[in-house]
Amino acid sequence: MADDIVWHDHKVVRSQRAENKNQKPCLLWFTGLSGSGKSTIANALDVALHNRGYHTFLLDGDNVRHGLCRDLGFSDEDRVENIRRIGEVSKLFADAGLIVLSAFISPFNSDRRLVRKLFPAGEFIEVYMDTPLATCEERDPKGLYQKARAGEISDFTGIDSPYEAPAHPEISLDTSSSSVDDCVDSLINYLLERKLIVG
Ligand code: ADP
């Protein structure tokens, strides 16, 4: 920590940035196994919100690993740092007044708790993709389960690296039994009920 670095207060504050956009910022944090549907549902919700005129931003696991987090691997230590960085970036986007959708496996409770703590109460919405491992493995959209089972990749969540299910997520979705549209409807209804969006 750099003790000599002074925090600058900005003249335009968070609430004013959101007011100009006519919306309330929040972070929808999608967590779950690979193939559980995080990217698919986050993208579909992004489209639904965008079409309603909301200002959103989608942060996605694979994409940040090409840039912001390209120096990180999949060891426990690197996963912690990966989520810490994404949490901070999500906070900056929310400070800019955006509705942020972040889709990351984020297997550890402690990391998700750290991100939650960066946000005012009610603005961190944990979306647990509670799709059974068997379904995720059967889908295997990127062929990674097959490689993990064959021992070609290690530290793969759900196979040889743990996934800690959230104890109290704001929303749980199981894409083995709910369609993409149903999942998006559930999320939109949640945002409407909490008055985070108005229509
Ligand atoms: P993750 O981001 O969690 O790794 P993806 O969204 O990349 O998961 O992959 C989920 C896969 O499951 C996609 O190929 C998607 O088309 C498929 N799928 C089938 N049914 C659903 C559903 N109801 N919801 C989301 N994804 C589904």
Side-chain angles (χ1 to χ4, degrees):
M1 259 290 238
D3 290 334
D4 294 337
I5 298 174
V6 178
W7 182 265
H8 283 276
D9 284 326
H10 293 180
K11 295 231 182 343
V12 180
V13 299
R14 186 181 200 268
S15 57
Q16 292 169 314
R17 293 184 196 281
E19 251 167 53
N20 261 11
K21 295 186 178 64
N22 251 324
Q23 64 181 35
K24 291 185 182 166
C26 64
L27 168 61
L28 291 127
W29 185 272
F30 293 80
T31 172
L33 296 170
S34 178
S36 60
K38 300 179 297 296
S39 284
T40 304
I41 303 302
N43 267 288
L45 178 65
D46 196 26
V47 170
L49 289 172
H50 183 80
N51 288 344
R52 284 170 165 79
Y54 289 101
H55 300 266
T56 60
F57 199 81
L58 173 62
L59 282 161
D60 185 282
D62 291 334
N63 294 0
V64 300
R65 281 186 179 277
H66 286 290
L68 178 70
C69 300
R70 71 172 169 208
D71 55 324
L72 301 176
F74 291 90
S75 65
D76 285 5
E77 196 184 43
D78 280 4
R79 282 178 193 268
V80 171
E81 176 59 12
N82 187 44
I83 298 306
R84 189 195 69 78
R85 285 186 203 173
I86 293 153
E88 293 288 351
V89 170
S90 299
K91 181 179 182 300
L92 290 175
F93 280 128
D95 285 348
L98 299 174
I99 297 174
V100 187
L101 300 90
S102 295
F104 297 92
I105 298 175
S106 48
F108 304 127
N109 269 315
S110 54
D111 300 340
R112 297 190 302 261
R113 205 176 306 126
L114 278 183
V115 180
R116 183 184 285 273
K117 278 193 193 150
L118 294 174
F119 283 77
E123 282 189 21
F124 177 88
I125 300 151
E126 192 170 37
V127 183
Y128 173 33
M129 304 307 294
D130 189 11
T131 308
L133 174 63
T135 305
C136 299
E137 194 165 353
E138 199 183 322
R139 288 177 179 163
D140 206 3
K142 297 164 202 149
L144 296 174
Y145 283 99
Q146 210 179 350
K147 284 190 183 166
R149 290 286 185 200
E152 288 166 24
I153 46 175
S154 54
D155 297 327
F156 195 72
T157 303
I159 305 298
D160 58 351
S161 187
Y163 178 78
E164 298 172 2
H168 304 290
E170 274 71 15
I171 304 172
S172 288
L173 300 171
D174 177 351
T175 61
S176 70
S177 52
S178 302
S179 69
V180 175
D181 286 350
D182 288 345
C183 292
V184 170
D185 284 350
S186 300
L187 291 162
I188 292 283
N189 285 335
Y190 180 92
L191 295 172
L192 285 169
E193 277 166 21
R194 300 296 185 290
K195 301 199 167 26
L196 288 162
I197 60 171
V198 291

PDB file of all heavy atoms in Angstrom, residues 14 18 25-27 89-100 119 123:
ATOM      1  N   ARG A  14     -20.498  10.516  -7.516  1.00  0.00           N
ATOM      2  CA  ARG A  14     -21.123   9.296  -8.039  1.00  0.00           C
ATOM      3  C   ARG A  14     -22.602   9.486  -8.375  1.00  0.00           C
ATOM      4  O   ARG A  14     -23.064   9.146  -9.453  1.00  0.00           O
ATOM      5  CB  ARG A  14     -20.950   8.230  -6.957  1.00  0.00           C
ATOM      6  CG  ARG A  14     -21.380   6.842  -7.301  1.00  0.00           C
ATOM      7  CD  ARG A  14     -21.139   5.991  -6.064  1.00  0.00           C
ATOM      8  NE  ARG A  14     -21.066   4.587  -6.366  1.00  0.00           N
ATOM      9  CZ  ARG A  14     -22.104   3.754  -6.332  1.00  0.00           C
ATOM     10  NH1 ARG A  14     -23.301   4.204  -6.024  1.00  0.00           N
ATOM     11  NH2 ARG A  14     -21.943   2.487  -6.615  1.00  0.00           N
ATOM     12  N   ALA A  18     -24.773   9.156 -12.018  1.00  0.00           N
ATOM     13  CA  ALA A  18     -25.933   8.280 -12.230  1.00  0.00           C
ATOM     14  C   ALA A  18     -27.160   9.102 -12.618  1.00  0.00           C
ATOM     15  O   ALA A  18     -27.920   8.720 -13.517  1.00  0.00           O
ATOM     16  CB  ALA A  18     -26.195   7.467 -10.977  1.00  0.00           C
ATOM     17  N   PRO A  25     -27.045   2.922 -10.278  1.00  0.00           N
ATOM     18  CA  PRO A  25     -26.003   1.949 -10.561  1.00  0.00           C
ATOM     19  C   PRO A  25     -26.124   0.724  -9.660  1.00  0.00           C
ATOM     20  O   PRO A  25     -26.625   0.813  -8.537  1.00  0.00           O
ATOM     21  CB  PRO A  25     -24.709   2.708 -10.261  1.00  0.00           C
ATOM     22  CG  PRO A  25     -25.087   3.799  -9.333  1.00  0.00           C
ATOM     23  CD  PRO A  25     -26.544   4.090  -9.538  1.00  0.00           C
ATOM     24  N   CYS A  26     -25.696  -0.417 -10.163  1.00  0.00           N
ATOM     25  CA  CYS A  26     -25.589  -1.611  -9.337  1.00  0.00           C
ATOM     26  C   CYS A  26     -24.670  -2.595 -10.054  1.00  0.00           C
ATOM     27  O   CYS A  26     -24.292  -2.371 -11.203  1.00  0.00           O
ATOM     28  CB  CYS A  26     -26.959  -2.239  -9.059  1.00  0.00           C
ATOM     29  SG  CYS A  26     -27.801  -2.856 -10.522  1.00  0.00           S
ATOM     30  N   LEU A  27     -24.314  -3.639  -9.323  1.00  0.00           N
ATOM     31  CA  LEU A  27     -23.488  -4.699  -9.915  1.00  0.00           C
ATOM     32  C   LEU A  27     -24.227  -6.023  -9.800  1.00  0.00           C
ATOM     33  O   LEU A  27     -24.589  -6.450  -8.695  1.00  0.00           O
ATOM     34  CB  LEU A  27     -22.142  -4.796  -9.169  1.00  0.00           C
ATOM     35  CG  LEU A  27     -21.283  -6.035  -9.478  1.00  0.00           C
ATOM     36  CD1 LEU A  27     -20.889  -6.108 -10.947  1.00  0.00           C
ATOM     37  CD2 LEU A  27     -20.019  -6.034  -8.604  1.00  0.00           C
ATOM     38  N   VAL A  89     -12.657  -2.852 -10.715  1.00  0.00           N
ATOM     39  CA  VAL A  89     -13.079  -2.283 -12.004  1.00  0.00           C
ATOM     40  C   VAL A  89     -14.607  -2.165 -12.040  1.00  0.00           C
ATOM     41  O   VAL A  89     -15.154  -1.149 -12.492  1.00  0.00           O
ATOM     42  CB  VAL A  89     -12.549  -3.129 -13.188  1.00  0.00           C
ATOM     43  CG1 VAL A  89     -13.179  -2.689 -14.500  1.00  0.00           C
ATOM     44  CG2 VAL A  89     -11.036  -3.027 -13.280  1.00  0.00           C
ATOM     45  N   SER A  90     -15.291  -3.177 -11.530  1.00  0.00           N
ATOM     46  CA  SER A  90     -16.762  -3.124 -11.478  1.00  0.00           C
ATOM     47  C   SER A  90     -17.214  -1.916 -10.665  1.00  0.00           C
ATOM     48  O   SER A  90     -18.177  -1.227 -11.023  1.00  0.00           O
ATOM     49  CB  SER A  90     -17.327  -4.389 -10.824  1.00  0.00           C
ATOM     50  OG  SER A  90     -16.970  -5.538 -11.549  1.00  0.00           O
ATOM     51  N   LYS A  91     -16.512  -1.661  -9.567  1.00  0.00           N
ATOM     52  CA  LYS A  91     -16.859  -0.519  -8.709  1.00  0.00           C
ATOM     53  C   LYS A  91     -16.658   0.796  -9.473  1.00  0.00           C
ATOM     54  O   LYS A  91     -17.496   1.690  -9.394  1.00  0.00           O
ATOM     55  CB  LYS A  91     -15.994  -0.542  -7.455  1.00  0.00           C
ATOM     56  CG  LYS A  91     -16.271   0.579  -6.479  1.00  0.00           C
ATOM     57  CD  LYS A  91     -15.359   0.424  -5.273  1.00  0.00           C
ATOM     58  CE  LYS A  91     -15.594   1.474  -4.215  1.00  0.00           C
ATOM     59  NZ  LYS A  91     -15.379   2.828  -4.670  1.00  0.00           N
ATOM     60  N   LEU A  92     -15.579   0.891 -10.214  1.00  0.00           N
ATOM     61  CA  LEU A  92     -15.332   2.123 -10.991  1.00  0.00           C
ATOM     62  C   LEU A  92     -16.447   2.347 -12.012  1.00  0.00           C
ATOM     63  O   LEU A  92     -16.935   3.468 -12.176  1.00  0.00           O
ATOM     64  CB  LEU A  92     -13.972   2.052 -11.697  1.00  0.00           C
ATOM     65  CG  LEU A  92     -12.733   2.141 -10.802  1.00  0.00           C
ATOM     66  CD1 LEU A  92     -11.470   1.925 -11.631  1.00  0.00           C
ATOM     67  CD2 LEU A  92     -12.669   3.485 -10.091  1.00  0.00           C
ATOM     68  N   PHE A  93     -16.857   1.277 -12.683  1.00  0.00           N
ATOM     69  CA  PHE A  93     -17.935   1.418 -13.676  1.00  0.00           C
ATOM     70  C   PHE A  93     -19.253   1.810 -12.989  1.00  0.00           C
ATOM     71  O   PHE A  93     -20.014   2.614 -13.527  1.00  0.00           O
ATOM     72  CB  PHE A  93     -18.122   0.125 -14.462  1.00  0.00           C
ATOM     73  CG  PHE A  93     -17.120  -0.054 -15.575  1.00  0.00           C
ATOM     74  CD1 PHE A  93     -16.388  -1.225 -15.688  1.00  0.00           C
ATOM     75  CD2 PHE A  93     -16.909   0.933 -16.511  1.00  0.00           C
ATOM     76  CE1 PHE A  93     -15.458  -1.395 -16.712  1.00  0.00           C
ATOM     77  CE2 PHE A  93     -15.992   0.784 -17.539  1.00  0.00           C
ATOM     78  CZ  PHE A  93     -15.254  -0.390 -17.638  1.00  0.00           C
ATOM     79  N   ALA A  94     -19.502   1.233 -11.818  1.00  0.00           N
ATOM     80  CA  ALA A  94     -20.720   1.609 -11.082  1.00  0.00           C
ATOM     81  C   ALA A  94     -20.613   3.058 -10.608  1.00  0.00           C
ATOM     82  O   ALA A  94     -21.591   3.803 -10.640  1.00  0.00           O
ATOM     83  CB  ALA A  94     -20.947   0.665  -9.898  1.00  0.00           C
ATOM     84  N   ASP A  95     -19.410   3.476 -10.190  1.00  0.00           N
ATOM     85  CA  ASP A  95     -19.205   4.885  -9.796  1.00  0.00           C
ATOM     86  C   ASP A  95     -19.477   5.812 -10.976  1.00  0.00           C
ATOM     87  O   ASP A  95     -19.881   6.962 -10.801  1.00  0.00           O
ATOM     88  CB  ASP A  95     -17.770   5.110  -9.295  1.00  0.00           C
ATOM     89  CG  ASP A  95     -17.555   4.540  -7.896  1.00  0.00           C
ATOM     90  OD1 ASP A  95     -18.559   4.181  -7.237  1.00  0.00           O
ATOM     91  OD2 ASP A  95     -16.394   4.454  -7.469  1.00  0.00           O
ATOM     92  N   ALA A  96     -19.241   5.308 -12.190  1.00  0.00           N
ATOM     93  CA  ALA A  96     -19.515   6.102 -13.390  1.00  0.00           C
ATOM     94  C   ALA A  96     -21.008   6.132 -13.704  1.00  0.00           C
ATOM     95  O   ALA A  96     -21.439   6.793 -14.653  1.00  0.00           O
ATOM     96  CB  ALA A  96     -18.742   5.528 -14.580  1.00  0.00           C
ATOM     97  N   GLY A  97     -21.806   5.406 -12.918  1.00  0.00           N
ATOM     98  CA  GLY A  97     -23.266   5.446 -13.069  1.00  0.00           C
ATOM     99  C   GLY A  97     -23.850   4.295 -13.871  1.00  0.00           C
ATOM    100  O   GLY A  97     -25.025   4.329 -14.238  1.00  0.00           O
ATOM    101  N   LEU A  98     -23.046   3.293 -14.126  1.00  0.00           N
ATOM    102  CA  LEU A  98     -23.511   2.199 -14.985  1.00  0.00           C
ATOM    103  C   LEU A  98     -24.117   1.045 -14.192  1.00  0.00           C
ATOM    104  O   LEU A  98     -23.800   0.838 -13.013  1.00  0.00           O
ATOM    105  CB  LEU A  98     -22.336   1.654 -15.803  1.00  0.00           C
ATOM    106  CG  LEU A  98     -21.649   2.652 -16.745  1.00  0.00           C
ATOM    107  CD1 LEU A  98     -20.428   2.027 -17.382  1.00  0.00           C
ATOM    108  CD2 LEU A  98     -22.620   3.135 -17.806  1.00  0.00           C
ATOM    109  N   ILE A  99     -24.961   0.289 -14.862  1.00  0.00           N
ATOM    110  CA  ILE A  99     -25.403  -1.007 -14.354  1.00  0.00           C
ATOM    111  C   ILE A  99     -24.377  -2.011 -14.888  1.00  0.00           C
ATOM    112  O   ILE A  99     -24.213  -2.151 -16.098  1.00  0.00           O
ATOM    113  CB  ILE A  99     -26.816  -1.351 -14.856  1.00  0.00           C
ATOM    114  CG1 ILE A  99     -27.824  -0.324 -14.313  1.00  0.00           C
ATOM    115  CG2 ILE A  99     -27.203  -2.776 -14.433  1.00  0.00           C
ATOM    116  CD1 ILE A  99     -29.235  -0.488 -14.870  1.00  0.00           C
ATOM    117  N   VAL A 100     -23.670  -2.665 -13.975  1.00  0.00           N
ATOM    118  CA  VAL A 100     -22.544  -3.508 -14.358  1.00  0.00           C
ATOM    119  C   VAL A 100     -22.933  -4.979 -14.238  1.00  0.00           C
ATOM    120  O   VAL A 100     -23.565  -5.382 -13.247  1.00  0.00           O
ATOM    121  CB  VAL A 100     -21.316  -3.217 -13.452  1.00  0.00           C
ATOM    122  CG1 VAL A 100     -20.093  -3.976 -13.955  1.00  0.00           C
ATOM    123  CG2 VAL A 100     -21.032  -1.724 -13.388  1.00  0.00           C
ATOM    124  N   PHE A 119     -19.461  -2.331  -2.264  1.00  0.00           N
ATOM    125  CA  PHE A 119     -20.697  -1.703  -2.741  1.00  0.00           C
ATOM    126  C   PHE A 119     -21.624  -1.335  -1.591  1.00  0.00           C
ATOM    127  O   PHE A 119     -21.682  -2.048  -0.591  1.00  0.00           O
ATOM    128  CB  PHE A 119     -21.426  -2.651  -3.697  1.00  0.00           C
ATOM    129  CG  PHE A 119     -20.786  -2.662  -5.057  1.00  0.00           C
ATOM    130  CD1 PHE A 119     -19.611  -3.358  -5.278  1.00  0.00           C
ATOM    131  CD2 PHE A 119     -21.330  -1.922  -6.091  1.00  0.00           C
ATOM    132  CE1 PHE A 119     -18.991  -3.327  -6.513  1.00  0.00           C
ATOM    133  CE2 PHE A 119     -20.718  -1.888  -7.332  1.00  0.00           C
ATOM    134  CZ  PHE A 119     -19.544  -2.590  -7.545  1.00  0.00           C
ATOM    135  N   GLU A 123     -26.751  -2.783  -3.603  1.00  0.00           N
ATOM    136  CA  GLU A 123     -26.218  -2.550  -4.961  1.00  0.00           C
ATOM    137  C   GLU A 123     -25.382  -3.710  -5.480  1.00  0.00           C
ATOM    138  O   GLU A 123     -25.019  -3.734  -6.646  1.00  0.00           O
ATOM    139  CB  GLU A 123     -25.371  -1.269  -5.002  1.00  0.00           C
ATOM    140  CG  GLU A 123     -26.208  -0.022  -5.048  1.00  0.00           C
ATOM    141  CD  GLU A 123     -25.384   1.218  -5.313  1.00  0.00           C
ATOM    142  OE1 GLU A 123     -24.262   1.113  -5.845  1.00  0.00           O
ATOM    143  OE2 GLU A 123     -25.853   2.300  -4.945  1.00  0.00           O
TER     144      GLU A 123
END
